[in-house]
């Protein structure tokens, strides 16, 4: 993947974040999401790629743009695109931390076409690569990862979505001595944090969206971490949806290389609200300041982009809130 595209992809997530950030704390999650989608879709038209959305806002009959199968870009190399213009709709609506605009790009056929259903996940950073087993008890994974990090289980912080379905793994982690950070929404950002030293997060556990799992896997691949996942169907319709997307073994354990093939993947994200790793969008008279991360798996390069945008110099594709 051409490195010159990295900044172009950041511009795409910046546009979504700036448009969406106007809706922070206003209780309008649908309007916030639509603003992010509109801005991201418009920004893609300026990027020299021939992209196909493989993870997006839903099927063609469910979303007017950035739907699965939509072609985007100004023309160029053929790539698969996974997007979430607003990860954390409730977070933006309530003015809570942790929401991001995010995308991943890889050569055609390299991103898992994940169905819109739940996925069980475990993710860690580079030093714990090869030390996780999604089928093993939580206690065993914690001990294995703690040993790889040269620390005690009691020193670890595990991020888990605060959902009733996670009561058992929360109890297991607490009984093992680990500290827990419960989050209300959005598990892509915590997956990134788990793979970067110094964030005080050492593992992501639990069940979240399968599409978000692929986005998280792209970030983990760029950071040299590790991840495993399994689909978590709620009913027969979920099983059929998975089969229609080519997944015949519903119990398959997806490794990181199953989720994202090869190392020609790029990942970009811009914070909308304040996060542990990135600062949220800050507006001033006639402009805004954004904070983004962009990564390439092939080189292992991780860049943080702190940008100031002047709207009178560079009109942004924004729908005013």
């Amino acid at each position: 993947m051409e490195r010159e595209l990295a900044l172009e992809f950041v511009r795409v997530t910046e546009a979504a974040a700036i448009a969406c950030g106007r809706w922070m704390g206003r209780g309008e999650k649908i309007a916030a999401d639509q603003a992010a989608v509109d801005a991201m879709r418009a920004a893609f038209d300026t990027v020299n790629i021939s992209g196909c959305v493989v993870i997006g806002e839903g099927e063609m009959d469910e979303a007017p743009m950035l739907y699965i199968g939509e072609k985007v870009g100004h023309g160029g190399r053929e790539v698969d695109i996974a997007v979430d213009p607003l990860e954390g709709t409730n977070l933006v609506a309530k003015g809570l931390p942790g929401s991001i605009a995010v995308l991943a790009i890889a050569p055609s056929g390299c991103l898992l076409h994940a169905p819109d259903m739940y996925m069980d996940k475990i993710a860690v950073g580079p030093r714990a690569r090869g030390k996780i087993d999604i089928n093993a008890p939580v206690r065993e994974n914690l001990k294995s990862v703690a040993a790889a990090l040269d620390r005690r289980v009691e020193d670890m912080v595990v991020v888990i979505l605060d959902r009733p379905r996670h009561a058992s793994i929360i109890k297991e982690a607490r009984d093992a001595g680990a500290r827990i950070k419960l989050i209300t929404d959005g598990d892509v950002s915590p997956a990134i944090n788990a793979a970067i030293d110094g964030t005080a997060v050492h593992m992501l556990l639990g069940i979240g969206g399968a599409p978000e799992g692929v986005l998280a896997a792209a970030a983990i691949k760029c950071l040299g971490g590790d991840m495993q996942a399994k689909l978590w169907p709620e009913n027969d319709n979920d099983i059929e949806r998975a089969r229609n997307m080519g997944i015949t073994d519903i119990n398959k354990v997806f490794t990181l290389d199953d989720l994202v093939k090869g190392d020609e993947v790029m990942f970009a994200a811009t914070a909308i609200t304040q996060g542990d790793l990135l600062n949220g969008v800050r507006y001033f008279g006639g402009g805004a300041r954004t904070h983004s991360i962009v990564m390439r798996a092939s080189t292992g390069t991780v860049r943080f982009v702190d940008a100031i945008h002047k709207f009178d110099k560079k009109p942004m594709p924004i729908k005013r809130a």
Side-chain angles (χ1 to χ4, degrees):
M1 193 74 64
E2 296 82 356
R3 64 182 180 181
E4 292 81 7
L5 289 172
L7 188 56
E8 297 303 312
F9 296 143
V10 171
R11 290 191 178 106
V12 173
T13 56
E14 285 174 343
I18 291 172
C20 175
R22 293 289 191 187
W23 293 94
M24 187 189 81
R26 299 187 61 182
E28 299 282 350
K29 67 178 185 179
I30 294 176
D33 186 61
Q34 190 61 56
V37 170
D38 290 347
M40 180 173 279
R41 180 62 184 83
F44 264 125
D45 285 340
T46 69
V47 183
N48 292 324
I49 56 170
S50 296
C52 178
V53 177
V54 298
I55 289 176
E57 292 295 288
E59 301 292 339
M60 185 183 299
D61 58 351
E62 298 172 347
M65 61 181 67
L66 294 179
Y67 54 81
I68 295 172
E70 184 178 9
K71 306 298 183 182
V72 299
H74 191 60
R77 182 175 181 181
E78 292 187 359
V79 294
D80 282 349
I81 300 173
V83 301
D84 195 344
L86 168 51
E87 206 236 352
T89 53
N90 287 322
L91 300 178
V92 169
K94 296 177 181 179
L96 297 174
S99 61
I100 57 174
V102 58
L103 63 82
I105 308 282
S108 297
C110 289
L111 297 177
L112 177 72
H113 295 197
D116 188 9
M117 58 185 290
Y118 283 130
M119 174 181 275
D120 195 8
K121 313 164 194 175
I122 179 170
V124 293
R127 287 194 288 164
R129 186 173 179 83
K131 303 298 183 181
I132 55 174
D133 179 357
I134 198 168
N135 288 324
V138 171
R139 180 182 294 270
E140 289 186 16
N141 277 305
L142 287 170
K143 286 182 177 180
S144 181
V145 172
L149 298 178
D150 192 26
R151 66 182 68 217
R152 301 178 305 163
V153 170
E154 290 82 358
D155 299 326
M156 292 181 58
V157 173
V158 182
V159 173
I160 303 173
L161 275 169
D162 190 6
R163 299 289 188 271
R165 62 178 178 267
H166 289 148
S168 62
I169 65 170
I170 291 171
K171 183 178 186 303
E172 287 182 68
R174 285 173 172 165
D175 288 347
R179 294 175 294 160
I180 307 293
K181 182 176 182 179
L182 295 175
I183 57 173
T184 59
D185 295 277
D187 59 0
V188 176
S189 286
I192 299 171
N193 291 343
I196 295 181
D197 285 341
T199 61
V201 172
H202 308 104
M203 181 186 292
L204 171 77
L205 277 179
I207 299 159
E212 290 81 0
V214 176
L215 283 162
I220 297 290
K221 173 67 74 86
C222 292
L223 291 164
D226 202 3
M227 179 173 172
Q228 291 183 3
K230 294 174 66 175
L231 293 177
W232 200 76
E234 294 185 280
N235 49 49
D236 290 342
N237 288 336
D238 281 349
I239 295 174
E240 184 64 23
R241 184 178 294 113
R243 287 175 176 163
N244 290 339
M245 298 189 76
I247 302 172
T248 55
D249 182 4
I250 202 69
N251 296 310
K252 176 181 172 64
V253 174
F254 293 95
T255 66
L256 186 61
D257 288 334
D258 292 324
L259 297 165
V260 180
K261 296 177 183 176
D263 63 358
E264 282 198 82
V265 60
M266 287 187 185
F267 176 93
T270 300
I272 301 168
T273 54
Q274 188 69 23
D276 293 334
L277 189 65
L278 299 173
N279 295 317
V281 180
R282 288 152 288 173
Y283 299 93
F284 54 84
R289 186 172 183 176
T290 57
H291 198 201
S292 306
I293 186 171
V294 59
M295 306 181 279
R296 295 176 68 207
S298 59
T299 62
T301 302
V302 178
R303 287 186 172 90
F304 291 90
V305 182
D306 190 351
I308 293 175
H309 309 265
K310 297 290 187 68
F311 298 155
D312 60 338
K313 301 285 186 180
K314 180 184 63 175
M316 301 295 290
I318 298 173
K319 283 188 175 181
R320 297 291 181 185

